[in-house]
Each structure stands twice: as C-alpha cells, then as structure tokens.
C-alpha cells in the first residue's frame, strides 16, 4: 500500500512538470467520458429502465392492422368486448382512449390531459392507486361513470397532497365527479403524461357489432404467466379469423390483429436514433483512447533514459509498468470526474429541453447504474490507454538508452501508426454518418408543407359533452367564436380543423369513391381525414387548386360536400374534372355520399415520412366534433394575440380554457426536431473525431521526424533536395490516412444500414457524402502532416550528424 501511494505522489509530480500534456489528456478524457455518460443516461432512462408497471414484460398492446396499406389502428368497442371475452391468453384486458378534461378548480379553468379506461386498466398494467381505489365494472355504464382517479402530480400541485381528497367532488367538463383514487408517483403509460382518469363507459352505439371499423380506442392486456408474444399473436390470429367470418370478409383478407410489447410501443420509434448516438459517442471515446495511448507512448519514449536509470538501480519491470499504469489510471479518474460534471450539466439541459421529444424523459438522470457505467469506462480507459506504454517500459534497452546523446528509440512506431489508422477509420465512420444525417435533414426541411406558417396562431378548444351535447350546440359555439375572433384587431382570417397539421393527430379513415371498385382482397380507398370550418384554407395559406373551399352555406341540413387534395383527385379521377364527383362513407346498402366542391393543395400533416396519404376534408358543420383546433392569420406577432384570445373565449364560456397555444412556425419547426438534433450531435461528434484524428497524425509524424533527424540529415548531406524530403514525410502521413480511410469506408457502409431508418430521401451509401468526407479527411491529414514535413525540410545536416 505504501508503494501504491508513492506511485500516486510520483504521478502527480510528473503531471505538474508537464502541464501541457496533463491538460490535453484530462480534457480529452473529460469530453469522451462526459459525452458517453450523458448519452448513456438518456439510453438508460428511455430504453433500458423497465416501464413503471408491474412485471412490464407481460404488458402488451393490441390493435387492428391492415397489411396492404401498412396501417395500424386501435380497436372498436365491439371488437374490444369480443377480444376481451374470447381470448385464451390474457389475464386482464382493458380499453382506453385519450380524454380532454376541463377542470374548474380555480379562478380560471384548467385543461388536463386525461384518459378514459375500462375497469381492468390499472390491473392490466399491474399497478394500483396509492390512495383509494380504481374503477369497477359497474362504472363502465353511461351515467355511472362520474368518478375520477388523479395523478400524484395533480394531487400534489392542486390539492397539496390532502388525504381528504377521496370523496371530494370536482367539476370536470361541467359535471360533478367524485375522486376515488390517486395513482403513485411516476406512474405513466403512453407518451404523454396523464393527469386524470375516468371510466370508459361504452355506449350501445359503440358496442354495435355492425361497427367493427369504429376503431376509436386502444387495448392493453396482461399476458397470463408463461405466455409468450408468439403464443398471444397466434391466439389473436384465431380471433381475427372469427371476426372476418362474422364480417363476411373471408379468412384470406389482409385485415388482422397485432400484439406488441408495451415497451416497444412506448419507445420503439426513438430506439434507432438513440442507438446511433450511443454508437457515435462510443467511437469518439475510442478515438480519444487511441490519441491518449499515442500521447502516453510518446511521453514514455521521452522518459526512456529515466526508465533506464531506474532499471539500472534495481527497479523491476513490473514496478516500472505499474508506475505508468498508475499514472494513466489516475489521469483517467481525474478526467472521468470532470466528465461526470460535464454529463450532469448536459443531462439537465437535455431533460429540460427534450430536443427530440422523447418519451420517458422523466426517468433520465445520473442514477446508480449510470455512475457504475461511468466508473467502469473510466477505469477501462485508464488501463486500456496506459497498457501499451507500460508494456513498452517493461522491456527497456538499457545499453542503447544509456549511451550519451542517444535521442531515443523508435520502438512502438508500428503501434502508434496502428492507433492513428484506427482513429482515421473511426473518424470516417462518424463523418459519413454526420454527412448522411445532414443531407437527410436538408431534404427534410426543404419539403414544402403545403401551407404558409408565417404569422399564424394556433390553439385548441374542447367543449364538454355535458354542456354541449348536440352537434347544433357545438357548431353554434365554434361559429360564434370564429366570427368574434375575426373581429379582433390584427386578425386577417380565422379557421378551424379538428386535427391541425403538426399536432401528431393521425386521423385516417376509409371511404368510398363512386364508380371505383377496389381489386379483390384489397382494402378500399383510405387516407387522412379532417373536418374543417369555413376560412380554414385561407387562414393556413393552403391553395385552392380548383372549385371552392367550404363557406357559410355548407350547413348541417344542406347538401353534403367535401374538399379533396390534388393527390386524391389525381389518383381516382386522372384526367377528369373532380368537381361534382362523389365520395362517401358507409356500407354498400346505404352509403352517405358527399359531393366534391373543391380541390386543394396537398398538406404535410405531421412529417415528410408520412406525407403520402390522400386527404379528404368534410365541412365541420356537417360532421362536428367537441374539439377544434383554431388558426388565426395575423398582421403581426401571433403570440401577441394570446391574451385577447383567452379573454374572448372566457367571455363566451367562463369554464372553457384554451390549450396547446403555439405559433404554427413553432409547430413546423418541432416536426423536424429529431432529425435536426441528431444531425447536430453527429456533426459535433464528427468534428471532434476529425480534430482528434488530425492531432493523432500530427503527433505521430512529429515524433517520426524527431526520431529520424539523423537519417534526414544524412540524406540531405548526400544531396537530397528539400522537395524529396517533403514528399517522403508527406507520403508517410498520407499512407496512414489512406489506410484508415479505406477501412473507415467499409465501416461506414455497415453504419449506413443501421441508419437507414433515420434517413429521408438519402441513400445509405450516398457517393457524394462518401467522396466529400474522404477528400475532406485527406485534406485534414495533409495539413496535419505538413507542419512536421516543413520542420524536416529545415533539418541542418551538420547539426543532425553532430548530435550523434
């Protein structure tokens, strides 16, 4: 133990004697460890940590799938009841759907994100309330569903954790509800944090067996012990076959049921991006490791005379190797500690901003597993980049190193060159990955959204059914709201859409086209479906290509009309005038037909990746909903209108809040947040990698020139021109870079396959990106080699020979 502390004291003294080397090494370790710890914290919290459920591996989602159009949906009320009663693999099963809850609990109403769920919901998720109870089957009946379960966050924020909350009456959506339970802290299922739950009371219409396609709810189930996903899927295939027989669609239809692990449902979409980032920071760490190994090799070489003296005085090889390993591990520990501080700040920033809109960010933090990870990579780094110098020091050539004037040995040159080749190869992989993401991002943001987001304010209004039970009342409220908003100073035009673009509301619906017969065993026409008010297309700047948009004459009792986008018109009526054509809903017996009165431009509803659907619009007055997204085209800053808008809505209904208030430009920017942030981080990591690779090449070539001073002096004494010396040194550096680039291109082709799902309109083996990155790194290698090469050109032959 005494010798161990002596090694540490000696290491600290040696660090003080070489401040430049020490600072470079510590900074390299801190950045490498800090970046890896920060990204691992996110990966651990989002992907690796189990969902906050009871035995989450047994929790699955169930839904409908239409294979020919690659569409997954929820289930209908009738379908849920049938699957719940007839399955053989579920211990518990429940249906649930999102719920808009307006809570009147203060001076102003508050809009909450809620869920309605059937009685077995909490049991299926394997977690119960910490206070009170969940729902009972008796409360699944309309009229008996006026009970609530609160989240721990809402209970704490609005009610100060008062245990007397049980039995208290709260006014939600204009009706009194009794609180019966409070869920535990951290409970969440889905991507959005839920504040309040209410029983899902299915109406006779929703349970109608003739409405299997009314897929408005999700279904969650708990598998019986020992049941696998494959076994559950086989049972669902059996049920789907039975339903197809009931529907008389035949067993060879491509309609079916799917089951998916709950974890996959929650985090599956973000997994590829996070794994790409984890791989990228891992490469940065490996490059840093190689650079540090080169630094320590060069430092060990410069200390060969010292090592030889210690050996001659009786120091064992193990003692010398242990000293160098102690120094490298100590460097790593100090740098890793600094890296942990960097990671702490980075994680806090990531959680606060959530730039990729990732789920489960509340679970991200520097917990015990992250600290173990950081400690592990810190120790491994210290041993890994200190191993080569320690082995080299353990085999000293005493005679050569003790000769007077000896400049040092060239042992280890091959290892240093190998390390540089590895750095270049890894840097190529990162640069190609960053280049592909940047090209993909440029193409992503260059897609025309189909509307003009400038100076457009958006917000939502959700009317309670209890207060506005009829379509006439709902339409009347929103008509008055539209006209009053249009009268506000600074407002150019006003419109409404039940699901605004960039709101992640994927409203799709199958429909009929008069005169069109789908091929056998194929699904009929389907696409994005929206109901919009008069003025919507004008407020959004969506061009009317042909015909007209909806106007005030399109009322509930008038002629049923529709507006279609140009994609739908060109697909089903190519070369024809679509005005006057008919689309409809319903079965063959009595379809409801809508006459096409206009054709508008295609609109990007969420992201460019899901922008190929046909789009069908119906007049809001003829197909109203309780929730509407409003858009205001303004003359100035749209957010400056928010106070006036809120005051106006409250004047119409004092219990009616507005929510999701954002400028449309913000919504559009948010739709590209994931590729933007991924491109930014990969670009940053790639820049660090290229810099480290350049430093590595420079270090090796500088060391090589220093070691070959005598050889270069002899060459120049024999008449070699400075140009030939320059070419000699440059060629050596470029050969190392060339080998690294060749290896890196092979690795980049493999990386491209992993990144394919993250790319948009960009090939994983894009020749432009590969060529530009390769040429760029050749240029970096040339610059890094040029400085040592110019130094070699200035070698004085007399001085070089005299030194020997």
């Amino acid at each position: 133990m005494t010798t161990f502390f002596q090694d540490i004291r000696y290491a600290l003294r040696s660090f003080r004697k070489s401040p430049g080397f020490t600072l470079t090494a510590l900074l390299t370790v801190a950045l490498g460890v800090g970046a890896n710890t920060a990204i691992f914290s996110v990966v651990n919290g989002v992907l690796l940590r189990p969902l906050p459920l009871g035995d989450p591996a047994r929790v699955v989602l169930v839904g409908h799938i239409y294979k020919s159009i690659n569409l997954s949906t929820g289930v209908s009320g009738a379908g849920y009841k049938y699957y719940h009663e007839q399955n053989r693999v579920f211990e518990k099963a429940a249906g649930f759907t999102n719920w808009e809850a307006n809570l009147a609990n203060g001076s102003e109403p508050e809009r909450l994100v809620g869920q309605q769920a059937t009685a077995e919901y909490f049991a299926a998720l394997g977690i119960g309330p910490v206070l009170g109870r969940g729902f009972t089957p008796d409360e699944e009946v309309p009229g008996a569903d006026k009970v609530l379960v609160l989240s721990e966050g809402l209970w704490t924020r609005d009610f100060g954790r008062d245990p007397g909350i049980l039995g208290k009456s709260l006014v939600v959506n204009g009706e009194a509800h009794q609180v019966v339970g409070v869920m535990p802290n951290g409970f969440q299922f889905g991507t959005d944090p839920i504040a309040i739950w209410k029983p899902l009371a299915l109406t006779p219409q929703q349970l109608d067996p003739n409405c299997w396609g009314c897929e408005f709810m999700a279904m969650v189930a708990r598998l019986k012990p020992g049941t696998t996903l494959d076994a559950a899927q086989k049972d669902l295939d059996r049920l789907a076959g039975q339903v197809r027989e009931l529907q008389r669609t035949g067993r060879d239809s491509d309609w079916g049921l799917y089951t998916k692990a709950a974890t996959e449902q929650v985090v599956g979409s973000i997994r590829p991006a996070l794994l790409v980032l984890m791989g990228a920071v891992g490469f940065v760490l490996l490059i840093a490791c190689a650079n540090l190994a080169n630094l320590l090799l060069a430092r060990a070489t410069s200390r060969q005379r010292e090592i030889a003296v210690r050996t001659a005085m009786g120091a064992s090889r193990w003692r010398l190797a242990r000293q160098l390993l102690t120094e490298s591990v100590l460097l790593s520990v100090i740098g890793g500690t600094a890296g942990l501080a960097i990671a702490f700040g980075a994680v806090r920033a990531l959680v606060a901003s959530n730039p990729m809109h990732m789920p489960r960010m509340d679970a991200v933090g520097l917990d015990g597993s992250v600290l173990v990870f950081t400690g592990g990579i810190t120790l491994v780094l210290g041993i890994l980049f200190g191993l080569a110098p320690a082995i080299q020091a353990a085999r000293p050539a005493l005679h050569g190193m003790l000769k007077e004037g000896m400049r040092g040995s060239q042992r280890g040159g091959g290892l240093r060159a190998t390390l540089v080749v590895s750095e270049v190869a890894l840097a190529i992989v990162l640069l190609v990955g960053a280049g592909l993401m940047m090209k993909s991002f440029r193409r992503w943001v260059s897609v025309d959204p189909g509307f003009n987001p400038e100076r457009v304010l958006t917000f939502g209004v959700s009317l309670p059914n209890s207060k506005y039970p009829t379509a006439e009342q709902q339409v009347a409220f929103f008509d008055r709201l539209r006209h009053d908003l249009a009268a506000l100073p600074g407002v150019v035009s006003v419109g409404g859409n039940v699901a605004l673009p960039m709101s992640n509301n994927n409203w799709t619906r199958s429909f009929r086209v008069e005169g069109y017969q789908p091929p056998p065993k194929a699904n009929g026409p389907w696409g994005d479906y929206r109901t919009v008010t008069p003025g919507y297309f004008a407020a959004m700047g969506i061009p009317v290509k042909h015909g007209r948009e909806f106007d005030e004459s399109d009322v509930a009792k008038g002629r049923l009309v529709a507006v279609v986008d140009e994609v739908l018109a060109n697909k089903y009526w190519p070369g024809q005038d679509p005005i006057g054509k008919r689309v409809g809903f319903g079965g063959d017996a009595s379809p409801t037909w809508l006459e096409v009165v206009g054709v508008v431009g295609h609109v990007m509803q969420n992201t460019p990746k899901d922008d190929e659907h046909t789009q069908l619009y119906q007049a809001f007055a003829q197909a109203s909903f309780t929730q509407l997204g409003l858009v205001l085209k303004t003359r100035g800053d749209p957010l400056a209108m928010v106070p006036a808008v809120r005051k106006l809505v409250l004047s119409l209904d004092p219990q009616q809040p507005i929510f999701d208030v954002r400028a449309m430009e913000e919504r559009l920017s948010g739709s590209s947040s994931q590729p933007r942030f991924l491109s930014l981080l990969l670009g940053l990591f790639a820049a660090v990698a290229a810099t480290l690779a350049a430093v590595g090449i420079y270090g090796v070539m500088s060391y090589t020139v220093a070691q070959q001073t005598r050889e270069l002096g002899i060459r120049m004494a024999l008449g070699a021109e400075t140009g030939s010396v320059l070419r000699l040194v440059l060629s050596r550096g470029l050969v190392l870079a060339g080998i690294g680039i060749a290896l890196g291109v092979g690795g980049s082709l493999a990386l491209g396959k992993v990144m394919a799902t993250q790319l948009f309109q960009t090939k994983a083996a894009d020749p432009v990106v590969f060529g530009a990155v390769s040429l760029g790194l050749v240029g970096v290698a040339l610059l890094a080699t040029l400085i040592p090469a110019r130094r070699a050109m200035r070698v004085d032959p007399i001085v070089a020979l005299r030194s020997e």
Side-chain angles (χ1 to χ4, degrees):
M1 185 60 70
T2 302
T3 56
F4 173 71
F5 285 114
Q6 289 176 348
D7 288 344
I8 292 179
R9 287 195 295 270
Y10 186 83
L12 292 173
R13 286 199 299 271
S14 68
F15 294 161
R16 286 196 297 269
K17 292 179 181 178
S18 307
F21 160 81
T22 302
L23 185 62
T24 302
L26 290 179
L27 185 60
T28 303
V29 173
L31 290 174
V33 171
N36 274 267
T37 300
I39 299 300
F40 177 76
S41 298
V42 177
V43 171
N44 178 61
V46 174
L47 299 184
L48 302 182
R49 183 178 292 178
L51 294 177
L53 309 173
D55 196 2
R58 292 168 55 197
V59 181
V60 297
L61 271 296
V62 176
H64 291 173
I65 184 168
Y66 300 85
K67 298 176 185 177
S68 64
I69 55 178
N70 192 29
L71 175 66
S72 300
T73 70
V75 301
S76 64
Y80 158 72
K81 183 178 179 181
Y82 189 84
Y83 312 142
H84 184 277
E85 294 174 351
Q86 301 298 323
N87 82 87
R88 300 169 181 170
V89 292
F90 299 149
E91 185 177 82
K92 300 287 183 180
F96 67 98
T97 184
N98 290 338
W99 176 47
E100 308 298 333
N102 296 336
L103 173 64
N105 188 47
S107 57
E108 285 192 8
E110 179 183 7
R111 189 260 185 178
L112 303 175
V113 178
Q115 283 180 345
Q116 289 179 289
T118 57
E120 291 185 352
Y121 180 70
F122 299 119
L125 297 177
I127 191 165
V130 291
L131 200 65
R133 62 172 178 86
F135 306 135
T136 66
D138 294 340
E139 293 164 343
E140 293 182 8
V141 180
D145 58 345
K146 302 302 186 288
V147 295
L148 301 172
V149 171
L150 310 183
S151 70
E152 190 270 348
L154 178 62
W155 179 44
T156 301
R157 188 191 68 214
D158 285 13
F159 305 102
R161 304 182 66 85
D162 177 14
I165 189 67
L166 295 181
K168 185 174 181 178
S169 179
L170 300 181
V171 178
V172 177
N173 291 344
E175 293 184 301
H177 292 68
Q178 185 183 41
V179 177
V180 297
V182 176
M183 294 304 292
N185 182 32
F187 171 72
Q188 179 181 335
F189 185 66
T191 56
D192 296 320
I194 303 300
I196 194 166
W197 292 266
K198 175 183 176 177
L200 177 56
L202 297 174
T203 65
Q205 293 80 8
Q206 292 169 331
L207 292 172
D208 184 354
N210 294 319
C211 193
W212 291 93
C214 303
E215 301 151 329
F216 74 99
M217 61 191 292
M219 183 174 176
V220 63
R222 173 169 292 273
L223 298 176
K224 292 180 179 178
T227 303
T228 64
L229 272 176
D230 288 340
Q233 185 60 57
K234 289 179 181 178
D235 192 56
L236 290 179
D237 291 341
R238 175 185 65 85
L239 295 177
Q242 294 176 359
V243 172
R244 286 195 294 267
E245 291 293 344
L246 293 172
Q247 293 178 311
R248 298 180 181 178
T249 57
R251 288 184 175 271
D252 55 354
S253 169
D254 77 341
W255 173 91
L257 286 164
Y258 74 87
T259 183
K260 182 187 293 186
T263 301
E264 184 65 21
Q265 177 72 17
V266 174
V267 302
S269 61
I270 199 67
R271 178 180 282 110
L274 286 182
L275 293 182
V276 166
L277 286 180
M278 196 68 208
V281 293
F283 281 0
V284 170
L285 193 63
L286 289 174
I287 295 172
C289 182
N291 239 11
L292 285 167
N294 257 329
L295 281 172
L296 288 170
L297 277 169
R299 190 165 184 266
T301 301
S302 68
R303 296 169 64 186
Q304 284 180 346
R305 187 174 179 82
E306 169 203 336
I307 292 171
V309 171
R310 295 181 65 183
T311 302
M313 295 179 65
S316 66
R317 292 181 177 182
W318 160 243
R319 185 72 178 79
L320 294 172
R322 194 184 72 182
Q323 175 63 53
L324 292 180
L325 272 176
T326 300
E327 292 180 10
S328 66
V329 171
L330 187 59
L331 271 177
S332 184
V333 169
I334 298 173
T337 304
L340 197 60
I342 293 174
F344 178 76
V347 167
R348 291 192 64 178
L350 285 172
V351 171
S353 62
N354 195 4
M356 293 201 294
H357 300 288
M358 289 180 287
R360 306 197 66 203
M361 285 299 281
D362 58 314
V364 174
L366 299 183
D367 59 9
S369 57
V370 174
L371 294 178
V372 169
F373 170 82
T374 304
I377 62 171
T378 298
L379 289 177
V380 169
L381 270 180
I383 295 172
L384 199 60
F385 64 67
L387 198 58
I391 293 173
Q392 178 178 316
R395 297 189 304 229
L398 296 182
H399 178 71
M401 285 188 286
L402 291 173
K403 286 176 61 178
E404 181 66 30
M406 183 68 178
R407 291 184 60 87
S409 168
Q410 294 188 42
R411 291 185 301 123
L415 177 58
R416 282 189 289 273
T418 301
L419 290 172
V420 167
V421 167
S422 301
E423 288 183 55
V424 173
L426 292 171
I428 279 285
V429 174
L430 275 181
L431 286 166
V432 166
L436 291 174
M437 279 304 306
M438 289 176 181
K439 185 171 184 178
S440 172
F441 176 67
R442 284 199 303 271
R443 291 189 170 179
W444 181 295
V445 297
S446 66
V447 172
D448 181 6
F451 58 85
N452 182 5
E454 296 179 1
R455 300 191 304 279
V456 174
L457 176 68
T458 69
F459 62 93
V461 174
S462 180
L463 302 178
N465 271 316
S466 59
K467 195 169 184 178
Y468 303 89
T470 67
E472 290 79 7
Q473 290 173 308
Q474 298 158 13
V475 171
F477 178 90
F478 285 122
D479 280 348
R480 182 179 176 186
L481 176 59
R482 284 191 302 110
H483 291 114
D484 288 354
L485 288 171
L488 289 176
V491 174
V492 177
S493 55
V494 179
N497 184 338
V498 293
L500 292 174
M502 312 299 140
S503 61
N504 290 321
N505 286 327
N506 299 312
W507 284 44
T508 59
R509 186 172 182 178
S510 59
F511 56 90
R512 306 168 62 88
V513 175
E514 189 176 32
Y516 173 80
Q517 184 64 35
K521 302 178 185 179
N523 292 294
W526 74 283
D528 290 326
Y529 170 77
R530 304 289 190 272
T531 68
V532 303
T533 70
Y536 171 74
F537 297 113
M540 287 288 290
I542 300 171
V544 178
K545 302 286 187 177
H546 193 37
R548 67 173 178 87
E549 64 172 307
F550 299 121
D551 57 33
E552 304 298 339
S553 67
D554 299 317
V555 295
K557 295 182 180 180
R559 178 185 50 155
L560 298 181
V561 294
V563 170
V564 301
D565 79 327
E566 53 193 338
V567 176
L568 190 152
N570 293 332
K571 182 175 182 178
Y572 295 107
W573 304 296
Q576 304 177 50
D577 183 358
I579 305 302
K581 302 293 186 181
R582 296 203 302 175
V583 295
F585 308 107
D588 295 332
S590 56
T592 300
W593 292 107
L594 290 71
E595 181 181 338
V596 175
V597 297
V599 179
V600 297
H602 182 76
V603 173
M604 184 172 69
Q605 298 294 349
N606 286 301
T607 70
K609 282 191 175 183
D610 54 17
D611 193 33
E612 299 176 353
H613 303 167
T614 60
Q615 294 170 356
L616 172 63
Y617 300 90
Q618 192 171 0
F620 182 79
Q622 298 176 349
S624 66
F625 292 84
T626 57
Q627 180 175 323
L628 188 66
L630 279 300
V631 292
L632 274 69
K633 182 72 173 181
T634 64
R635 292 188 177 88
D637 178 11
L639 294 179
M641 299 295 301
V642 174
V645 168
R646 182 174 284 112
K647 182 179 179 180
L648 174 59
V649 173
L650 291 175
S651 71
L652 296 179
D653 186 340
Q655 295 184 339
Q656 186 59 57
I658 63 174
F659 58 90
D660 197 20
V661 182
R662 286 187 287 172
M664 181 53 78
E665 287 180 311
E666 180 189 347
R667 288 184 184 274
L668 184 59
S669 175
S671 70
S672 60
S673 59
Q674 180 172 322
R676 179 189 296 110
F677 188 67
L678 196 57
S679 300
L680 177 64
L681 276 190
L682 283 179
L684 177 63
F685 296 153
V688 172
T691 303
L692 290 175
V695 170
I697 294 173
Y698 169 78
V700 166
M701 296 314 301
S702 293
Y703 177 79
T704 301
V705 168
Q707 292 298 311
Q708 294 182 337
T709 299
R710 183 173 181 273
E711 175 192 341
L712 296 174
I714 292 174
R715 284 175 179 265
M716 297 182 73
L718 293 175
E721 297 181 355
T722 56
S724 64
V725 174
L726 177 66
R727 287 192 296 273
L728 174 66
V729 178
L730 286 178
S731 64
R732 289 175 179 174
L734 293 178
V735 165
L736 293 179
I739 296 172
I741 289 171
L743 294 174
V745 166
S748 299
L749 291 172
L751 174 69
K753 296 179 180 179
V754 177
M755 291 184 60
T757 58
Q758 302 299 309
L759 300 178
F760 175 70
Q761 295 182 355
T762 303
K763 294 181 179 179
D766 189 287
V768 175
V769 172
F770 275 72
V773 167
S774 299
L775 289 175
L777 204 52
V778 166
V780 169
L782 186 63
L783 290 174
T785 310
L786 192 59
I787 298 175
R790 289 176 61 84
R791 188 182 303 132
M793 292 168 55
R794 294 194 295 268
V795 170
D796 188 335
I798 302 301
V799 174
L801 293 174
R802 185 186 301 137
S803 67
E804 298 298 326

